[in-house]
Amino acid sequence: MNREPELARSKSSRPTMRDVADAAGVGVMTVSRVINGGAGVRPSTAERVREAVGRLGYQLNHAASTLRRRHHASMVIALLVDDIANPFYAALAGAVEEEARAHGFTVLFGSTKEDQVRERELVAAFTARRVDGLIAVPTDTEPWRGAPAGTAVVFVDRPANGLPVDAVLVDGRTAAARGVAHLVEHGHARIGYLGDLESIWTARQRLQGYRDAVGEAFDPALVRQGLRDAASAEQAARELLGSARPPTALFAANDLMTIGAVRAVAACGAGTAVVGFDDIVLADRLSPPLTVLAQDPVEMGTTAARLLFARIDGDESPSREVVLPATLVVRGSGERRPG
Amino acid sequence: MNREPELARSKSSRPTMRDVADAAGVGVMTVSRVINGGAGVRPSTAERVREAVGRLGYQLNHAASTLRRRHHASMVIALLVDDIANPFYAALAGAVEEEARAHGFTVLFGSTKEDQVRERELVAAFTARRVDGLIAVPTDTEPWRGAPAGTAVVFVDRPANGLPVDAVLVDGRTAAARGVAHLVEHGHARIGYLGDLESIWTARQRLQGYRDAVGEAFDPALVRQGLRDAASAEQAARELLGSARPPTALFAANDLMTIGAVRAVAACGAGTAVVGFDDIVLADRLSPPLTVLAQDPVEMGTTAARLLFARIDGDESPSREVVLPATLVVRGSGERRPG
DNA sequence: CTGAAAGCGCTAACAA
DNA sequence: TTGTTAGCGCTTTCAG
């Protein structure tokens, strides 16, 4: 009959500082000092502690450490995007991660899928975890009113709308107008529009830019909104191209719309011109090569992260808005002429 | 001279349960009960507490809560990939997030960039934060020996190599061999190979598959490895195509290599056949459409997450290895004949 | 240079 | 139904 001696604490829970202290024959404070840099500890003592740490496989409990600390910083930021699986947001996430890493921070992420309930849940989860900062592509400013008080927040891709929050934006209205004007200059009078949910600020901006550029020629029959993926965009484009008076050009307001437009044109709209917002890998190798208004997600992510860390580091200046450019990249699909 | 009364705690630190309890005229335990579902609290009392919570903007400190709980679960998992900005890993991340969300978990992420030091730092950071689980594309099994003891771990895309860890894999050797054989069947005898770092397991597997398929015809002069991005892959492909005895086909071992191959073929290798590993958006609209061996990153992510949550939920069965298929998608570029 | 005591914000186990 | 006491793992404070 084995009495299983001293199995009490070694059983399954991880070693604590107390365990390390006992193993090294010192007090917990000494262990704490060694773990946190070892200043003011005799080298030989520190060595004994480190040996015990290694032997027991001890790892600091960051939550406990944080709890007792002065201005308990969690050294975690969170990133909230529409959908992390979308390459545009993935590129932005990569840039944010790099910047966070440079500051010694870890990154949490979440995808809202443009669902406000989901966004609220995620913000609550992040806040409960006491993230030091939050970079978000907000579905709306509503879920943000007061909610994360005490947490630094920076918006990307969408404006703060009066909230005292920094924002990194692109002037999508001007950019879209430029892209559509480009089509007009190439002789197009009937230009179809494929856009995302009207609830999304960027979608509204881009549609506004489209209207600015087409002016009098605006025809609601050519506008399709509320498209959430490439398949529905393709379907909408096919309908447009198959109508009695089809457009001679298509303006696609984001990557997903562009993919749908390219597919529809290939299937049933030979010769239709296309200009897309954002950019796609190998867009220059399509036939014809794709003309786009390219935003720079890496620049957007880096800028947002820099603003956030400035706030975390104590910047208390009034909230700022940084506007980044979108570039018209002329490749071919937007220079096709009608007929 | 304002004496600034009772500014002590309201100054900047966030309200605690004590504050809420005082405001509602109850004990902290009652607040705790209400926050955690409110079972066993008189509705009228609960209502008063909720009112105070709303008024003070109280938010649970998850770290403190976790610290005191039974099997203190953090309800956080971490995802470690090569590079989150890579659409393949972004898609995988999206799938992992969905699964995590279904289980009420939040997700931390990090990119190793195939750097073992960085990987070790990230694993340490995640472990210190006491994540309940870790899904990783490991650069190597070495940083994982014993390190995250007590944390559930699942590998994706690369094997556990003897470590008692679940793994979700694709048989890249067989798949690559099938793709290269496809080229051989279409008359190619000289097939160039573009591959990533030899240190990466999948890269070695795919090269092995290439060797299996070319057999006697293997020529080291046609093999380029250690390529880390599309630009270097394009450069390598251009060199291959510009050599004295250029290959008539190119096998690209991942998306980045494929992009480089397509560019190089367009620039200086008209007619060269191409088969790529993984898949690219609009690959079917390139000229010629791209023939690929497609893996399913969403399926990989979902499977890995399911395995992880099974472990977190207490599954103690021996570690498993799940092998997912790669599909040959015939579109055109791989069916070009030499010459 | 080192350790003991107190307590961060919260919940488990009890008592009322 | 509610409150009290203890203590999670750690760092602060202060005494040796």
Side-chain angles (χ1 to χ4, degrees):
Chain A
M1 297 295 273
N2 192 337
R3 310 290 291 305
E4 303 197 4
E6 61 190 35
L7 212 66
R9 72 161 168 62
S10 64
K11 180 143 186 228
S12 73
S13 68
R14 308 153 84 118
T16 87
M17 255 187 193
R18 177 80 263 152
D19 299 324
V20 175
D22 292 348
V26 298
V28 278
M29 254 332 283
T30 302
V31 178
S32 177
R33 288 192 181 98
V34 172
I35 296 287
N36 293 290
V41 178
R42 188 185 305 155
S44 63
T45 311
E47 197 36 60
R48 258 192 310 142
V49 171
R50 267 189 282 271
E51 185 277 327
V53 165
R55 186 154 46 77
L56 300 188
Y58 170 78
Q59 301 193 240
L60 179 70
N61 183 327
H62 190 267
S65 151
T66 271
L67 190 58
R68 192 60 177 87
R69 277 194 143 90
R70 247 293 171 289
H71 290 301
H72 39 224
S74 62
M75 301 296 277
V76 178
I77 63 168
L79 174 66
L80 203 52
V81 296
D82 176 338
D83 186 359
I84 191 69
N86 181 326
F88 180 84
Y89 293 115
L92 194 151
V96 168
E97 185 202 352
E98 281 311 300
E99 209 63 33
R101 179 182 143 76
H103 289 258
F105 279 63
T106 306
V107 188
L108 277 166
F109 76 89
S111 305
T112 62
K113 305 281 176 83
E114 296 304 325
D115 178 341
Q116 287 205 35
V117 175
R118 190 160 163 167
E119 176 175 35
R120 228 181 279 267
E121 287 171 3
L122 285 165
V123 172
F126 294 153
T127 313
R129 258 127 205 158
R130 292 293 186 272
V131 297
D132 297 323
L134 212 34
I135 295 180
V137 176
T139 64
D140 186 26
T141 44
E142 207 41 60
W144 297 88
R145 303 221 167 269
T151 306
V153 177
V154 174
F155 284 169
V156 212
D157 204 38
R158 302 177 194 173
N161 250 330
L163 252 50
V165 161
D166 294 331
V168 177
L169 305 171
V170 168
D171 182 357
R173 180 172 176 176
T174 303
R178 179 145 175 238
V180 175
H182 184 77
L183 289 167
V184 172
E185 284 158 20
H186 284 81
H188 297 278
R190 294 183 60 74
I191 303 171
Y193 178 92
L194 301 172
D196 205 328
L197 258 26
E198 221 181 321
S199 62
I200 303 175
W201 181 80
T202 50
R204 292 196 301 276
Q205 289 289 302
R206 293 169 196 178
L207 178 59
Q208 193 53 252
Y210 166 87
R211 295 188 73 141
D212 293 346
V214 296
E216 301 283 286
F218 180 74
D219 178 356
L222 293 175
V223 174
R224 293 299 158 95
Q225 289 186 85
L227 279 15
R228 281 258 74 195
D229 52 45
S232 57
E234 179 179 352
Q235 180 54 33
R238 279 171 179 265
E239 286 168 19
L240 245 28
L241 295 174
S243 67
R245 299 181 55 214
T248 58
L250 252 21
F251 182 78
N254 70 34
D255 280 338
L256 268 15
M257 310 295 107
T258 306
I259 293 166
V262 168
R263 290 234 156 84
V265 166
C268 58
T272 306
V274 175
V275 168
F277 211 107
D278 294 335
D279 206 357
I280 292 177
V281 68
L282 287 182
D284 54 318
R285 300 306 326 151
L286 294 170
S287 324
L290 208 57
T291 292
V292 299
L293 294 150
Q295 300 186 82
D296 186 343
V298 170
E299 178 75 17
M300 292 170 75
T302 304
T303 306
R306 294 218 173 114
L307 285 171
L308 185 72
F309 285 113
R311 296 297 180 185
I312 289 175
D313 293 344
D315 178 358
E316 305 244 310
S317 58
S319 59
R320 278 170 291 177
E321 201 168 76
V322 177
V323 178
L324 262 20
T327 319
L328 178 68
V329 182
V330 175
R331 296 198 184 112
S333 71
E335 293 71 53
R336 284 175 153 183
R337 293 188 165 269
Chain B
M1 299 295 273
N2 192 338
R3 310 290 290 306
E4 302 198 3
E6 60 189 34
L7 213 65
R9 74 161 170 61
S10 64
K11 179 135 186 239
S12 73
S13 69
R14 309 155 84 117
T16 90
M17 256 188 192
R18 180 77 264 154
D19 299 324
V20 176
D22 292 349
V26 299
V28 278
M29 250 338 275
T30 302
V31 178
S32 176
R33 288 191 182 99
V34 172
I35 295 287
N36 293 289
V41 178
R42 188 186 305 157
S44 63
T45 312
E47 197 36 60
R48 259 190 310 142
V49 170
R50 267 189 282 271
E51 185 277 328
V53 165
R55 187 154 45 78
L56 300 189
Y58 170 78
Q59 301 194 238
L60 178 71
N61 183 327
H62 190 268
S65 152
T66 270
L67 190 57
R68 192 58 178 90
R69 279 194 141 92
R70 245 299 163 278
H71 290 301
H72 39 228
S74 62
M75 300 297 278
V76 178
I77 63 168
L79 175 66
L80 201 54
V81 296
D82 176 336
D83 185 0
I84 191 70
N86 181 325
F88 180 84
Y89 293 116
L92 194 151
V96 168
E97 186 202 352
E98 280 312 300
E99 208 62 34
R101 179 180 145 75
H103 289 257
F105 278 64
T106 306
V107 187
L108 278 167
F109 76 89
S111 305
T112 62
K113 306 282 176 82
E114 297 303 326
D115 178 342
Q116 288 205 33
V117 175
R118 190 160 164 168
E119 177 175 33
R120 227 181 279 266
E121 287 171 5
L122 284 165
V123 172
F126 294 153
T127 313
R129 258 130 206 157
R130 292 294 186 272
V131 298
D132 297 323
L134 213 34
I135 294 180
V137 176
T139 65
D140 186 25
T141 43
E142 206 41 61
W144 297 87
R145 303 223 167 266
T151 306
V153 177
V154 173
F155 284 169
V156 211
D157 204 36
R158 303 178 192 172
N161 248 331
L163 253 50
V165 160
D166 294 331
V168 177
L169 306 171
V170 168
D171 182 357
R173 180 172 176 174
T174 303
R178 178 144 174 241
V180 174
H182 184 76
L183 289 168
V184 171
E185 285 159 19
H186 285 80
H188 297 278
R190 292 183 62 72
I191 303 171
Y193 179 92
L194 302 171
D196 205 329
L197 258 25
E198 221 182 321
S199 61
I200 303 175
W201 182 80
T202 51
R204 293 197 300 276
Q205 289 289 303
R206 293 168 197 178
L207 178 59
Q208 193 53 250
Y210 166 86
R211 296 188 73 141
D212 293 344
V214 296
E216 300 284 286
F218 180 74
D219 177 356
L222 293 175
V223 174
R224 293 299 157 95
Q225 289 186 84
L227 279 15
R228 282 258 73 197
D229 52 45
S232 57
E234 179 180 352
Q235 181 54 33
R238 280 171 180 265
E239 285 168 18
L240 245 26
L241 296 173
S243 66
R245 299 182 55 214
T248 59
L250 252 23
F251 182 78
N254 70 34
D255 280 339
L256 269 14
M257 311 294 109
T258 306
I259 294 166
V262 168
R263 291 234 155 84
V265 166
C268 59
T272 306
V274 175
V275 168
F277 210 109
D278 293 334
D279 205 357
I280 292 177
V281 68
L282 287 181
D284 54 319
R285 302 303 329 152
L286 294 171
S287 323
L290 208 56
T291 291
V292 299
L293 294 152
Q295 301 186 82
D296 187 342
V298 171
E299 178 75 17
M300 291 170 75
T302 303
T303 306
R306 294 217 173 115
L307 285 171
L308 186 72
F309 285 113
R311 295 299 179 183
I312 289 175
D313 293 344
D315 178 358
E316 305 243 311
S317 58
S319 59
R320 277 170 290 177
E321 200 167 78
V322 178
V323 179
L324 262 21
T327 319
L328 178 68
V329 182
V330 175
R331 296 197 184 112
S333 71
E335 294 70 53
R336 284 174 153 182
R337 294 192 165 267

